[in-house]
Amino acid sequence: MTEHRHTKVLIVGSGPAGYTAGVYAARAMLSPVLIQGLEPGGQLTTTTEVENWPGDTEVQGPDLMVRMEAHARAMGCEIVGDIVTSLDLSKRPFTAQTDSKTVWTADAIILATGARAKWLGLPSEEKFKGFGVSACATCDGFFYRGQEIVVVGGGNTAVEEALFLTNFASKVTLVHRRDELRAERILQDRLFKHPKIETLWFHQVEEVKGADSPLGVESVVVRHTKTGALTEIPAKGVFVAIGHAPASELVKDVLETHHGGYVVVEPGTTRTSIPGVFAAGDLTDHVYRQAVTSAGMGCMAALDVERFLAEHGTSDADAASSSSAPAHSEA
Ligand code: FAD
Ligand code: NAP
């Protein structure tokens, strides 16, 4: 059965950008609806301590996101556990179809679908995904108590994951393709001082090796980027932390994108190439990609929507049905 519903503002995504947009749009009396997606709370639910969220010297990522959700809800944002499967942005009101077969129409849309982990693209990585290969230390680190682990990457995520994994592992080898990390200095200092972490510079993962029955990782073959020499490192776990790509599949063919799929917004605003469609957070940002910058853009998007709707009005359907009650259902 298909359910049809209408809202003035549909927010797609439940990371810092989405929830902040929810708080602001609700306080502007726009009765927003927010669709959470597959990862309620977004990327911060995959980490532990967050030390750069203003006001909290240290806060657990998942706790922060639970608080953001509660905040948006308390302000009057309706939060829906569903996934947007397709969007029609060709005319207003815009249409969103969801996994649960609800068809939403919306006078304005805020896209806040964030980013997802990148993978190395090796067949052996694919083979052992979920059986020793992971992109989330917080989720899977616990399984590697007393074992040797390899972490791949040189950014903040890789260094944080390596440090976190020392809570479980007997040894962590950080494999990086250059001899310089992108990670913040404070994290680098912690990494280099840690007795359980070894850093392997100028190396790329060539192959993940392991047993077939039961399926499980036993070692990682790495190649020296300059000499080509191969080394096999014993490891029960491989954590790939080589960055994130924007989750722009829903809109990449209809909205202007750049730098590998990031949605283009007019500088200083959250306006996309389609009037009435706004984008915020990591989906648009190939530079900063922080919780606080995403939250800031979520605020901007809600304010941009408020101005847009004041100027362009809402649809007739809006008068006919409230955002909190189904408009009609059909079999
Ligand atoms: P995200 O957090 O990526 O959330 C995207 C949301 O969109 C998710 O809820 C997802 O379910 C939803 N979504 C996607 N597709 C759909 C769909 N089709 N339908 C409906 N919903 C959809 N930043 C910091 O400032 N400090 C840190 O300490 C920090 N630590 C980090 C640690 C790790 C391991 C990682 C991976 C990132 C970290 N970051 C940190 C970066 C920070 O998490 C991101 O910048 C921030 O989460 C981006 O917020 P966002 O709202 O744009 O998107
Ligand atoms: P990132 O900063 O883009 O770093 C990705 C790392 O992976 C780089 O070192 C890169 O190497 C390496 N890499 C990329 N592709 C590779 C490949 N195919 N093979 C091997 N190595 C590869 O990504 P991130 O660390 O996930 O961080 C993403 C964003 O989230 C950043 O803005 C970051 O600041 C933010 N974040 C913040 C915190 C925090 O504030 N504490 C924590 C986590 C994440 P090169 O260096 O050679 O390019």
Side-chain angles (χ1 to χ4, degrees), residues 2 5 31 47-48 58 144 148 190 253 278 286 300 304:
T2 305
R5 294 192 57 192
S31 308
T47 191
T48 48
E58 185 182 305
Y144 301 96
E148 295 186 30
R190 286 180 204 162
D253 296 329
F278 301 83
H286 66 284
M300 288 163 64
D304 287 344

Side-chain angles (χ1 to χ4, degrees), residues 12-18 35-44 46-47 49-52 82-85 112-116 157 160-161 244 247 249-250 280-283 289-294:
V12 187
S14 58
I35 310 229
Q36 286 181 306
L38 205 55
E39 189 174 58
Q43 292 170 64
L44 280 189
T46 68
T47 191
E49 292 92 10
V50 174
E51 295 179 348
N52 49 17
D82 206 346
I83 300 163
V84 174
T85 49
T113 49
R116 294 198 193 102
T157 303
E160 283 193 343
E161 301 232 317
H244 288 75
E249 308 81 21
L250 286 172
D282 278 14
L283 175 66
R289 294 174 297 173
Q290 301 294 303
V292 70
T293 48
S294 297

Side-chain angles (χ1 to χ4, degrees), residues 6 55 59 93 114 122 174 227:
H6 180 78
V59 58
L122 302 168
L174 183 79
T227 65

Side-chain angles (χ1 to χ4, degrees), residues 82-93:
D82 206 346
I83 300 163
V84 174
T85 49
S86 68
L87 284 171
D88 180 356
L89 305 179
S90 60
K91 58 179 186 313
R92 274 213 322 142

